[in-house]
Structure formats: C-alpha cells, structure tokens
Amino acid sequence: MSKVTYFSGESFPLEMHKVRIIQKLTLLPIEERLRAVEEAGYNTFLLQNSDVFLDMLTDSGVNAMSDRQQAAMLTADDAYAGSATFTRLHAKLQEVFGKKYFLPTHQGRAAEHILALGFVKPGMVVPTNYHFTTTKAHITAAGGEVVELIEPSGLAVTSDEKFKGNVDVAAFERLADERGAENIAFFRVEAGTNLVGGQPFSLANLRAVSHACRRRGVPLVMDASLLADNLYFVKAREPECADWSVADIWLAMSELCDVIYFSARKLGFGRGGGIITDDQKIYESLRAWVPMYEGFLTYGGMSVREMEAITVGLDETLDEDMINQGPLFIAHFVDEMDRRGIPVVTPAGGLGAHVDAMRFLDHVDQRYYPSGALAAAVYLASGVRGMERGTMSEQREPDGSEPLAHMELLRLALPRRVFTLSQVQYAVDRIHWLYANRRIVGGLEWTEEPEILRFFYGRLKPVGDWQHALVAKFREDFGASL
Ligand code: F0G
C-alpha cells in the first residue's frame, strides 16, 4: 500500500500490486440468501461458499498468493524425508525469527496441540493477553486453565490506546505470586490479538512480559499467527521503532520469546504452521509428537507446494508495502463505518473490521447471541459472510453454565490482497442500511449445540420471525435490486 498524498487532501489506500487472476462471484437475491442462511442453521460457518458474495469469514488460508509464490510452488521438491523444500523453509524461518529449531505442523492449532501435550499438566495455568478459541480448547483439554491478563483498554470497544493487545504485567506478577511459577505451564502472548479485534501489543510491553517471565523461569510462548499485522503496527505506532526495518522488529520480538508457533494460513500467505525455538531441550521434548500426529519432521502434514509458498510469503512479509495492505484497507473499512455512526472497534486493528454487536443490537439480550444474530443479518442484507466473535465462540463451563463474552463482535475479515475498495464500499453501504433498520433484528437460540467448539457447526434459529420482516423491509427500500 502506498502512502501517496492526494491532491484533494483526502486519503485512500492504494494497492502496490495488480490483480492478474480473478474468480467470478455471484450475488444472490435476498430471498435466496434467506433460504441459504436457513439451511445453514443461521451459522455463517455452515453457509456454502457458492451462496456467499464477499467471504469475510476469515483471513485464514484464503489470502491471495503472489506470482512469486505460485512460481515457487512449481519448484517444490516432493520427498517424504529431507526435501530441499523443507530446507528452504527452515532456512527462511531461521533468518526471520533468528532461532535454530523448527517443528512443522499441518496448521496452527496442531502446534497448539503439541505445545499443550508438552507443557500443560492438569491444574496448571496458562496466562495470556487473550485466549484464542482453539488454543483454549487444547489447554483445557490437557487439564489446564487459561487466565487472561490483557490491559483493560483491550476490552474497551473504543479507545485511543495504540496497543490494545498489551499485557497487564503487574497482574502477571500477582498471578505468579499466588499460583507459584512452577504451576505456570507457560505464558502465551498472542500477536495481533484475534478475539479483541486484531489488536497489537507493543515491543516495549513484550519486553516487560519477557523480563517478568525470565525472572521467574516461566517460558514465554508467542502465537505469531497474526504477527504480520503486529509488526506493521509496531513500526507505524511505536516511536522507538519508526526507523527500524520490519526484519529488525521481527528479530527483536523473537529474541524475547522462548517458543514461537504460528498458523501459516495467516503468517506467510500459505497453509500450514509450526513451532520454533532455540532451546534444544524444548525442541527434543516436543519432537516426538510431530511424527505421531502430524507427519515426518520434514513436512509435518504440509504439502511441499504449500511449504514453498510459505517460504516466499515470509519473505514478502518483510516488505512493508505488502504487510500494510491489510491494516490500511481495514482502517478504511472501519473509518467508513464509523463516519456513518455504525459502532465499530477502534482504533482499527489487523485481520478485519470489527462491528460492536452489543451496541448495534443493544435490544438483544447477550444470551440470545447478538453477534451471531448480526452475522446472519449482515449475510441476509448483503451476501457478505462475517464471523461471530462473542458468546457463541465461548465454551460452557464444566458445570454447564455459559460465560458471557467480554465483547460481542461481528468480525468482517479482509483476506490480504483479495477484495477491492468498491467491494468494501458495498459492504459498508449494506451494513449502514442494516444499522438504520437494526430494531427489526432479534436474537438466535440453539437448535443443536455441540459440546466442544460449538460455534463451528452448531445450528440455531431466530427468536421470533425477524428474518422475514428484514427481507420485506429490504424489498421495500431497494425494490428489485440485489
Ligand atoms: N492462533 C490464532 C491467533 C489464530 O487466529 C488461529 C486461527 C490459530 C491460532 C489456529 O490456527 O487455523 O491454522 O489451526 N484463526 C483462524 C481465524 C481460524 O479465522 O481467525 P489454524
């Protein structure tokens, strides 16, 4: 993304790439969208992609690849063991993270599985700035407990704080005193904190966390899945780093951590993942799980073509013009909604735009899943598929009680280099219309509620009959338009 100055004084994101392969999209009429969302049990995860116009469900594994990535995929060296492709990926990871060992996994949550097996014993605690769904599921399945220590600004929907993913280090010191360092499996710090709106932590905060962990002998583990956004925000927002290269910031962050894991479906514009460390003991203690669950040590469940794409994708992540595309597009999306009075998380983070469903649907009780209802309503209004990030994404306590999420967000992810500004503008317009008609929208209730990770494949139905009223209002306002 370029920082050109416009004659008009306004500013718009400007892509520093061109699109050379396209995929045709269909925008179904709203009546067809109603059929589709009913078939999907009002859960956007269960929609068929052919029924979706703009897929903003996630940026995971759906980012556009570059010509260089595609070319590299043709040079992959297909071998079960010792492929040159793995050697190239390993060398690139050593270059960008500055650490020696790499254990490949088929995606990010597989790395979480292995870390939970290696580090978490029943009764242990894993402090974190904020949990991620799959991470928490693996830690609790191993008998551990996740404790969130994000700074209070992280949970404020609107804030002037530039680093809403920062850890409350004093709270960590208190926790370590209370529970004993020996009962802390590791500290998990998540770059580009997903569930609070893709919010970054600062290098200064990571330094403080790292010092506190090292003083007490607690391993510091970084989830680097959304590191690209976090690197960009540190460069753009942290004065100390304004003149640093992306590579320097990357190495400085990595140096502060004992273990790093990542989903390459996000970091590196590919598909895969893995665990990185400089510590031989940690490496050896985790290594056995890789052939057991993932695949041999030189592919870990990834295809060689994907590994080639990740190697080039990591190289492109060093380029500020490449990694600023997401954050600048997202900032535009957020500003356009904010200007229209639509409640959004600010400042804009990485990953996507986040709409505050608690305020958008302030008449819907949190027990009827306002962000899930908003996701279904936005799909109805626009054909845009977003993702619920609120109470539905939480898991019930062992006693069956349901914790209400800190925030009820509708996430509209912007896969990198995929959508155009006019498509973003269309999404803004239809969400604006929905906001003007928000009182029509009601809540959702379960018809089938799975026990684990229920948001992925659970089914729901509207409370009342608001969906038909919404379709009727759409027709009244837009006539025959799609
Ligand atoms: N950690 C973070 C911060 C993530 O955002 C994800 C995935 C994972 C771990 C797990 O990685 O999907 O490769 O197994 N986030 C996706 C999302 C699913 O849509 O935000 P994975």
Side-chain angles (χ1 to χ4, degrees):
M1 241 4 75
S2 166
K3 294 196 183 87
V4 297
T5 305
Y6 281 83
F7 182 50
S8 65
E10 291 171 284
S11 72
F12 301 97
L14 179 63
E15 295 85 342
M16 297 309 282
H17 59 258
K18 62 180 178 181
V19 180
R20 295 198 299 144
I21 294 183
I22 58 132
Q23 180 182 0
K24 190 167 174 357
L25 294 170
T26 338
L27 176 54
L28 297 175
I30 191 167
E31 293 76 12
E32 286 291 301
R33 303 201 288 261
L34 178 60
R35 173 203 48 81
V37 80
E38 271 176 358
E39 278 169 23
Y42 286 81
N43 180 347
T44 53
F45 273 101
L46 300 182
L47 285 166
Q48 297 302 311
N49 202 27
S50 51
D51 293 332
V52 170
F53 178 46
L54 304 178
D55 190 9
M56 299 187 179
L57 184 75
T58 180
D59 62 348
S60 170
V62 289
N63 299 299
M65 283 196 189
S66 67
D67 49 357
R68 287 179 58 223
Q69 285 183 289
Q70 298 264 330
M73 288 169 93
L74 296 175
T75 65
D77 177 31
D78 217 343
Y80 187 92
S83 85
T85 290
F86 178 78
T87 308
R88 282 194 279 274
L89 174 58
H90 192 178
K92 181 54 72 180
L93 287 165
Q94 286 176 329
E95 175 197 327
V96 294
F97 284 101
K99 295 199 188 295
K100 191 168 173 188
Y101 301 105
F102 172 52
L103 292 168
T105 62
H106 79 275
Q107 62 184 87
R109 69 199 67 185
E112 292 169 340
H113 178 210
I114 288 169
L115 288 170
L117 289 170
F119 281 98
V120 183
K121 307 277 170 296
M124 279 187 153
V125 50
V126 177
T128 179
N129 47 351
Y130 207 73
H131 81 280
F132 183 69
T133 52
T134 55
T135 330
K136 186 168 179 179
H138 280 296
I139 291 167
T140 53
E145 180 196 349
V146 174
V147 176
E148 284 155 349
L149 301 176
I150 197 160
E151 285 276 10
S153 64
L155 301 179
V157 173
T158 55
S159 163
D160 294 329
E161 171 59 50
K162 292 182 182 131
F163 293 102
K164 287 168 79 181
N166 275 355
V167 173
D168 180 345
V169 183
F172 170 58
E173 302 278 10
R174 287 195 298 276
L175 179 87
D177 285 342
E178 277 163 30
R179 306 287 273 262
E182 67 284 4
N183 296 314
I184 299 180
F186 54 82
F187 193 112
R188 171 185 176 274
V189 64
E190 183 182 314
T193 324
N194 189 328
L195 294 190
V196 299
Q199 300 291 332
F201 53 68
S202 65
L203 180 60
N205 185 252
L206 185 64
R207 218 176 262 139
V209 176
S210 176
H211 289 165
C213 284
R214 286 189 179 160
R215 239 187 354 261
R216 293 172 185 270
V218 172
L220 178 57
V221 175
M222 174 162 69
D223 180 339
S225 306
L226 288 163
L227 182 65
D229 294 336
N230 209 125
L231 287 168
Y232 168 73
F233 287 127
V234 165
K235 183 157 171 58
R237 297 179 183 176
E238 196 161 358
E240 180 192 348
C241 301
D243 297 327
W244 296 25
S245 67
V246 172
D248 289 342
I249 301 170
W250 199 329
L251 285 171
M253 282 186 166
S254 179
E255 202 276 316
L256 296 168
C257 303
D258 301 293
V259 178
I260 293 155
Y261 75 91
F262 66 105
S263 167
R265 299 174 65 85
K266 294 185 189 280
L267 185 67
F269 311 103
R271 289 170 195 85
I275 301 169
I276 293 157
T277 184
D278 235 0
D279 186 316
Q280 191 178 348
K281 273 211 195 96
I282 293 179
Y283 168 72
E284 283 171 3
S285 72
L286 300 176
R287 183 173 50 185
W289 305 112
V290 174
M292 193 166 159
Y293 288 109
E294 298 301 305
F296 187 63
L297 292 174
T298 57
Y299 73 94
M302 287 185 271
S303 82
V304 280
R305 275 172 288 283
E306 292 294 348
M307 287 196 279
E308 290 288 357
I310 297 164
T311 305
V312 177
L314 289 169
D315 197 55
E316 291 175 355
T317 304
L318 292 166
D319 178 351
E320 198 189 331
D321 274 344
M322 283 290 160
I323 58 171
N324 68 11
Q325 192 270 333
L328 293 181
F329 244 65
I330 290 161
H332 179 81
F333 196 178
V334 167
D335 289 348
E336 289 290 298
M337 286 196 279
D338 199 28
R339 265 188 336 115
R340 289 163 174 79
I342 301 164
V344 282
V345 172
T346 57
L351 209 172
H354 292 76
V355 181
D356 178 12
M358 207 95 92
R359 266 175 59 216
F360 199 114
L361 297 181
D362 57 7
H363 54 287
V364 175
D365 191 298
Q366 229 186 326
R367 284 165 308 169
Y368 296 104
Y369 312 116
S371 34
L374 185 57
V378 165
Y379 171 72
L380 270 174
S382 62
V384 172
R385 163 156 74 168
M387 185 191 290
E388 193 272 1
R389 295 277 74 157
T391 297
M392 266 172 69
S393 296
E394 297 286 329
Q395 56 193 46
R396 287 190 187 267
E397 301 294 354
D399 68 3
S401 64
E402 182 174 49
L404 300 176
H406 296 119
M407 297 171 104
E408 291 288 341
L409 303 180
L410 167 64
R411 180 179 92 178
L412 298 160
L414 285 188
R416 309 303 180 272
R417 317 186 282 208
V418 169
F419 294 126
T420 62
L421 219 53
S422 47
Q423 290 170 330
V424 169
Q425 215 60 38
Y426 164 82
V428 169
D429 179 77
R430 288 302 191 256
I431 295 167
H432 189 196
W433 172 81
L434 189 66
Y435 188 61
N437 292 287
R438 63 191 180 278
R439 300 278 167 227
I440 298 176
V441 180
L444 296 175
E445 56 192 337
W446 295 105
T447 56
E448 288 171 41
E449 184 187 347
E451 216 168 291
I452 297 174
L453 296 174
R454 59 186 183 171
F455 62 93
F456 275 135
Y457 48 91
R459 303 181 69 83
L460 304 101
K461 67 174 168 55
V463 178
D465 191 31
W466 56 262
Q467 72 281 23
H468 291 112
L470 195 69
V471 172
K473 181 72 172 117
F474 184 95
R475 278 287 161 246
E476 192 186 314
D477 289 351
F478 292 109
S481 168
L482 286 174

